[in-house]
Amino acid sequence: MSGGQPYYLTTPIYYVNDQPHIGHAYTTVATDALARFMRLDGRRVMFLTGTDEHGQKVDKSARAAGLDTQTFCDRVSQNFREVTQLMNISNDQFIRTTEPRHIKASQAIWRAIAAHKSPKGRDNIYLGKYAGWYAVRDEAFYGEEELTTDAAGKKHAPSGAEVEWLEEPSYFFRLSDWQDWLLDYYERHPDFIGPEGRRTEVVSFVCQEKRVKAPDGTETVIKGPLTDLSISRTSFSWGVPVPGDPKHVMYVWLDALTNYLTAIGYPDTESEDFRSFWPADLHMVGKDIIRFHCVYWPAFLAAAGLAVPKRVFGHGWWTVEGQKMSKTLANTVAPKLLVGEFGADAVRYFMLRELPFGSDGDFSRHALIGRINSDLAHGLGNFAQRVLSMIQLYCDAKVPLPGEFAATDVRLLGSARSLLSKLRIAFSEQAFHKATETIWAVLSDADLYITEHAPWEMHQAGSDRLPTVLYTLAEVTRHLATLVQPVLPAAAADLLDQLGQGRDSRDFVALAAHPLSPGTKLPPPHAIFPALELSSFSRELQAKARALAQQRARHILEALYGKTVTIDTAMYREEISRLWRMCGGKINGGGGISDDPKSRLKKGKAERNVWDAAKGEAQQRAQNAIKALLQEECAEDITTYKDEVERLWRICGGKPDKRQSQDVTIRAPPERIFDALTNPKRRTQWWGKPDYQGAQMESDLRADGRWVQSGEWRNGKSFQVAGVYRTVDRAHLLAFSWRSCTDKSGLESLVQFDLKEENGNTTVRVTQSGPEGTLLPERRWEEVLASLRKYVEGPTAS
Ligand code: MSP
């Protein structure tokens, strides 16, 4: 542990009823990044994690596993400990609530609470009888008004956990007397709960806000008293015995929360650790356990005469491939498998970069691989290897001696040097996504700097700027590697080794104090992140998608038409079109079936009833199919789905895509032809069919070669065309897809113009492909091309 101002941070302690999954790893990884950041920034850090081993839930799981409870706890706790090693977690302690030191601390806090009076001068703890609802899965008590009843008459907590009725003698904590104190505490400590939304949630719980409807329908919010909290159980014994009344065991949350004190020596409040580290700087928790940490915990602490932690942050939850992680769905993702496949750094990076920290998000392999390749392998890894390889080749494998820095060097170095202060803000707000984004923004500046300076050309030209440019790049790499250590500890260490940066020159002080020393010999560089074989992955994905699509298509047909209705492919075509529209970017915004085909089914009432019954289900299946295919909430690039729709189209008997092409040779340079094609004003001059005349168009050819056009046809329908324009070795390619205005299905066809220049002539090949009904007839294309030729060859074009 380094010197400096103390910083104490904790993860929740994990229940040992479950095997570790990525949800648990997420909390720990985020806390670890912060702990590492603080250490590098000179703080004396105490970072605590561990396992929560008491309570009814654990006891039940041990029985179900046929094991003695302690043996069961020992086993599962060990699995959590292994995950900390696997994920490269730098915790200073791993606590278990079955340890004797913790039993001692829990009993001590009970006594301290009992010894003090509540703010209203009453005993904080009293004996009574609990009669109410309890959810073993959450280890939480719920009021009747919080529950919902399912079709089978079973009652559920807001978390979805089933509740059971409980009646037993119990000690109570007089939480009701702490209501005003808590509200006042939140008011005076605006940073106590993060992010902001969770704070509102907590305050509204403590106010016990309820909406009441008056007979005239108006709603008012009334506030109620907080109810006292049951803090002991008598119907089982797996817990910490209540001091002086061992028939009771302490409520598992009171015992569990106390772990944060145990680890720093409580009840010895005079110990070195306790004096240094209490109150804790941060409890990192998931959003589901915010009530325990922001309501019960501060009240327990204040009642025991202890200070309250400075901050609690409630992060969001991960779903997996669009679904809640659960044992029943068997979709939990084990950190071990992920780390085995991708490495700890990549998984850590993905977790901290992919979601705004605090929000919920979805975990998918597809997204993970995408991130690894774009940000790590092709991003940081590629950049560093380019810089280091150029130093090897052009500077005799030694850190070059820079000359005078030019304005561009100073600018890039300046943005790298200003990173630390930005990261301090992001880390203090637990905005890990912002921290990584900020670092990667400098990386992209640095990439641009390489492109602009082209050091390989400088080398060829013997430019004396080369050592300064490469020194600038090496210094920027050192900054990036140093600052990325909290997130990518192993890769950053590897990179700093490759930069010849000593082990004692890697903290944030070293950023300014230990610049790279010219002349230092550097080892031959190697890649820090290998790029992942996307192709084999996508093959696998495609095979999976195809099997799924076939199965879903069959289901949809069955659901739509039942066994008695003969399958009519024309009708099915509607379904495909709808699927397509649903994915055309609209599914996220509600994506329902808007186009009711009932009116078009000129069939009997019986069929219409079949349709009605099946429609809802079909909709659901279609959405699931899309989600499953894309492995995501349809936020995917539309082109991925396009293949799928076409496949579905064919599987279901739709006609295969048509493809047709026409060639025409025109005596004009490609630039002129291109202009005539993309400039909306010129286009209306040669296209010349009534439908297209008078179309209002906005057209924009962007610097990156993307071309977008949108407008309105004369019949009032809007259209969109999107395309790309590229020049490859004097051959020009313009490809665009459009939505046909004549076919309401919204199916897209792709039109591609290849322009090849030879002996002053340009051959234009127009190829169009897409589902039947979306293509322009061949004859029409011939007319169009002839008109284009006439136009660009004639005098009006210039
Ligand atoms: N034992 C209690 C905590 C006591 S702290 C004094 C507990 N344990 S837990 O194992 O159920 O959950 C521990 C942490 O894992 C929580 O922060 C929870 O939010 C987090 N996660 C569990 N599943 C998760 C996801 N699917 N996604 C993100 N985090 C999730 O609660």
Side-chain angles (χ1 to χ4, degrees):
M1 217 181 282
S2 55
Q5 200 192 338
Y7 189 90
Y8 182 26
L9 80 176
T10 66
T11 72
I13 44 171
Y14 301 100
Y15 282 129
V16 288
N17 69 302
D18 209 356
Q19 293 303 328
H21 58 59
I22 52 162
H24 305 123
Y26 184 48
T27 320
T28 313
V29 162
T31 319
D32 183 60
L34 188 52
R36 287 178 183 270
F37 185 90
M38 290 300 173
R39 273 189 214 108
L40 288 164
D41 210 13
R43 304 289 293 264
R44 181 155 69 100
V45 169
M46 170 68 84
F47 169 21
L48 173 70
T49 187
T51 43
D52 188 353
E53 307 187 2
H54 287 134
Q56 205 172 352
K57 170 153 94 170
V58 170
D59 199 24
K60 266 185 156 176
S61 304
R63 275 173 224 274
L67 287 173
D68 146 70
T69 313
Q70 187 62 57
T71 315
F72 175 76
C73 290
D74 293 347
R75 263 189 214 174
V76 187
S77 177
Q78 185 54 28
N79 296 341
F80 277 94
R81 202 185 281 266
E82 276 164 16
V83 169
T84 59
Q85 283 148 12
L86 201 73
M87 301 292 303
N88 210 346
I89 303 300
S90 64
N91 55 305
D92 298 291
Q93 286 198 53
F94 187 99
I95 193 168
R96 298 184 55 190
T97 53
T98 46
E99 289 175 51
R101 61 171 176 160
H102 179 68
I103 316 270
K104 182 171 149 203
S106 301
Q107 292 182 328
I109 197 173
W110 180 287
R111 284 197 205 93
I113 296 173
H116 288 75
K117 295 286 181 210
S118 80
K120 297 192 175 157
R122 298 193 282 181
D123 284 342
N124 272 320
I125 296 181
Y126 63 91
L127 185 61
K129 184 173 168 199
Y130 181 77
W133 298 102
Y134 191 75
V136 177
R137 196 180 88 190
D138 299 348
E139 295 282 19
F141 303 93
Y142 289 101
E144 181 84 42
E145 70 291 347
E146 293 182 276
L147 308 178
T148 48
T149 311
D150 67 15
K154 285 190 177 144
K155 293 197 181 279
H156 296 269
S159 62
E162 208 180 300
V163 292
E164 60 188 46
W165 184 257
L166 207 69
E167 274 191 35
E168 60 184 20
S170 170
Y171 284 96
F172 282 84
F173 173 66
R174 211 177 295 274
L175 187 62
S176 54
D177 279 8
W178 289 89
Q179 185 176 30
D180 293 342
W181 183 92
L182 283 166
L183 292 172
D184 178 59
Y185 188 85
Y186 304 144
E187 179 85 27
R188 285 187 296 111
H189 299 86
D191 291 336
F192 176 53
I193 306 168
E196 191 55 31
R198 308 255 189 266
R199 180 185 153 81
T200 323
E201 201 183 295
V202 168
V203 170
S204 124
F205 173 75
V206 173
C207 290
Q208 288 287 295
E209 283 177 351
K210 292 188 181 65
R211 299 186 176 281
V212 185
K213 246 194 177 147
D216 67 355
T218 52
E219 254 191 11
T220 33
V221 178
I222 57 154
K223 297 181 177 181
L226 262 183
T227 43
D228 290 346
L229 181 72
S230 160
I231 49 164
S232 76
R233 302 285 315 269
T234 39
S235 48
F236 66 93
S237 59
W238 185 246
V240 178
V242 165
D245 194 352
K247 288 193 299 305
H248 291 250
V249 289
M250 284 169 62
Y251 171 39
V252 63
W253 269 100
L254 172 53
D255 144 6
L257 288 159
T258 305
N259 90 87
Y260 303 136
L261 298 175
T262 309
I264 49 168
Y266 187 79
D268 184 0
T269 51
E270 291 306 312
S271 71
E272 158 77 22
D273 275 353
F274 197 87
R275 287 161 59 110
S276 303
F277 294 113
W278 197 256
D281 291 271
L282 179 78
H283 291 318
M284 179 71 81
V285 300
K287 64 177 184 180
D288 53 318
I289 54 175
I290 202 96
R291 185 187 293 184
F292 302 95
H293 284 83
C294 298
V295 181
Y296 304 156
W297 186 224
F300 292 152
L301 286 166
L306 294 166
V308 172
K310 295 180 197 152
R311 185 166 165 87
V312 178
F313 190 96
H315 65 67
W317 266 47
W318 286 96
T319 48
V320 169
E321 314 279 0
Q323 286 181 308
K324 196 172 168 192
M325 246 188 292
S326 81
K327 272 195 224 161
T328 2
L329 289 174
N331 65 347
T332 51
V333 179
K336 204 170 182 166
L337 290 181
L338 278 187
V339 171
E341 194 173 351
F342 302 110
D345 275 357
V347 179
R348 291 170 64 107
Y349 177 77
F350 176 76
M351 286 177 164
L352 299 179
R353 176 70 166 84
E354 191 68 4
L355 298 186
F357 198 70
S359 308
D360 295 338
D362 189 46
F363 184 92
S364 80
R365 281 176 62 90
H366 196 61
L368 171 65
I369 292 177
R371 274 273 172 225
I372 295 176
N373 280 347
S374 71
D375 296 11
L376 301 180
H378 302 316
L380 182 64
N382 182 46
F383 167 78
Q385 205 176 3
R386 282 172 91 189
V387 172
L388 292 165
S389 310
M390 287 191 287
I391 294 178
Q392 288 282 316
L393 283 173
Y394 308 149
C395 310
D396 194 22
K398 286 190 195 122
V399 174
L401 177 66
E404 200 176 324
F405 291 104
T408 48
D409 314 332
V410 172
R411 203 172 317 124
L412 183 64
L413 284 167
S415 56
R417 286 175 186 147
S418 66
L419 266 176
L420 178 59
S421 58
K422 293 183 186 153
L423 295 185
R424 282 195 178 120
I425 298 173
F427 273 90
S428 71
E429 294 169 350
Q430 290 78 51
F432 304 109
H433 58 292
K434 277 196 202 150
T436 41
E437 260 166 43
T438 316
I439 298 176
W440 260 254
V442 173
L443 175 65
S444 104
D445 289 349
D447 266 329
L448 203 69
Y449 174 97
I450 298 194
T451 314
E452 281 168 6
H453 288 78
W456 46 94
E457 283 173 13
M458 288 183 162
H459 173 69
Q460 264 185 355
S463 161
D464 53 9
R465 277 271 293 142
L466 182 64
T468 317
V469 165
L470 288 180
Y471 184 86
T472 303
L473 284 167
E475 258 299 273
V476 169
T477 313
R478 181 180 70 90
H479 271 77
L480 296 175
T482 306
L483 291 166
V484 90
Q485 291 178 96
V487 180
L488 303 172
D494 184 356
L495 197 50
L496 289 163
D497 284 346
Q498 295 190 49
L499 282 164
Q501 193 71 357
R503 296 263 154 179
D504 51 355
S505 312
R506 298 184 175 190
D507 61 11
F508 296 160
V509 170
L511 280 174
H514 298 282
L516 288 174
S517 166
T520 310
K521 183 92 181 152
L522 302 185
H526 57 263
I528 48 170
F529 296 106
L532 294 169
E533 259 295 323
L534 248 190
S535 54
S536 70
F537 172 70
S538 24
R539 269 202 303 278
E540 193 188 303
L541 190 74
Q542 268 174 16
K544 198 170 145 194
R546 191 171 314 117
L548 256 170
Q550 283 175 349
Q551 189 192 358
R552 305 277 185 197
R554 262 203 309 278
H555 284 162
I556 294 171
L557 285 173
E558 279 168 19
L560 284 175
Y561 309 116
K563 298 274 183 275
T564 51
V565 181
T566 41
I567 294 167
D568 170 345
T569 48
M571 282 163 70
Y572 190 69
R573 188 180 155 163
E574 296 284 343
E575 191 52 43
I576 298 289
S577 310
R578 251 193 310 284
L579 266 168
W580 174 256
R581 271 199 300 283
M582 284 161 70
C583 312
K586 283 181 201 122
I587 187 159
N588 279 338
I593 294 178
S594 57
D595 183 8
D596 189 350
K598 242 198 298 187
S599 55
R600 298 199 207 164
L601 292 175
K602 299 221 169 21
K603 296 204 168 183
K605 200 168 167 241
E607 282 89 345
R608 285 210 296 274
N609 287 344
V610 172
W611 172 268
D612 278 340
K615 198 167 89 173
E617 199 182 340
Q619 225 170 345
Q620 188 59 50
R621 284 191 204 283
Q623 289 194 358
N624 288 348
I626 294 164
K627 267 193 214 164
L629 289 171
L630 300 182
Q631 313 254 313
E632 284 187 12
E633 275 286 331
C634 300
E636 187 78 359
D637 180 355
I638 182 84
T639 48
T640 318
Y641 190 67
K642 192 168 160 175
D643 286 352
E644 203 46 55
V645 170
E646 286 173 5
R647 202 174 302 133
L648 266 167
W649 170 271
R650 279 189 292 272
I651 291 165
C652 304
K655 303 233 169 63
D657 279 358
K658 279 190 92 173
R659 190 182 169 86
Q660 56 196 37
S661 57
Q662 281 84 11
D663 279 355
V664 59
T665 303
I666 302 181
R667 261 178 293 113
E671 291 75 23
R672 195 140 129 196
I673 301 172
F674 180 74
D675 185 44
L677 284 166
T678 58
N679 184 323
K681 276 206 202 94
R682 298 201 202 295
R683 239 171 72 149
T684 42
Q685 286 167 21
W686 60 269
W687 191 283
K689 218 5 204 226
D691 244 5
Y692 301 87
Q693 272 170 6
Q696 298 290 314
M697 291 198 223
E698 297 281 336
S699 178
D700 177 17
L701 178 65
R702 302 193 197 138
D704 63 358
R706 284 183 191 278
W707 172 59
V708 282
Q709 234 180 25
S710 60
E712 222 174 62
W713 303 116
R714 284 209 330 179
N715 61 12
K717 291 208 173 75
S718 61
F719 71 89
Q720 269 202 320
V721 183
V724 237
Y725 171 62
R726 294 249 156 75
T727 311
V728 185
D729 268 352
R730 296 185 67 73
H732 302 250
L733 168 75
L734 169 67
F736 60 82
S737 62
W738 58 19
R739 281 169 188 267
S740 161
C741 67
T742 45
D743 182 346
K744 264 178 63 192
S745 69
L747 289 168
E748 280 184 35
S749 56
L750 184 77
V751 182
Q752 190 171 317
F753 289 84
D754 291 287
L755 285 70
K756 238 197 187 118
E757 203 181 359
E758 256 167 0
N759 314 323
N761 290 336
T762 307
T763 306
V764 182
R765 163 165 293 183
V766 182
T767 313
Q768 58 167 353
S769 55
E772 230 197 8
T774 62
L775 306 189
L776 226 57
E778 262 170 72
R779 288 247 322 270
R780 173 76 190 121
W781 271 114
E782 279 159 18
E783 271 173 49
V784 165
L785 289 174
S787 172
L788 171 68
R789 185 180 56 210
K790 238 167 101 191
Y791 179 77
V792 290
E793 285 181 354
T796 43
S798 48

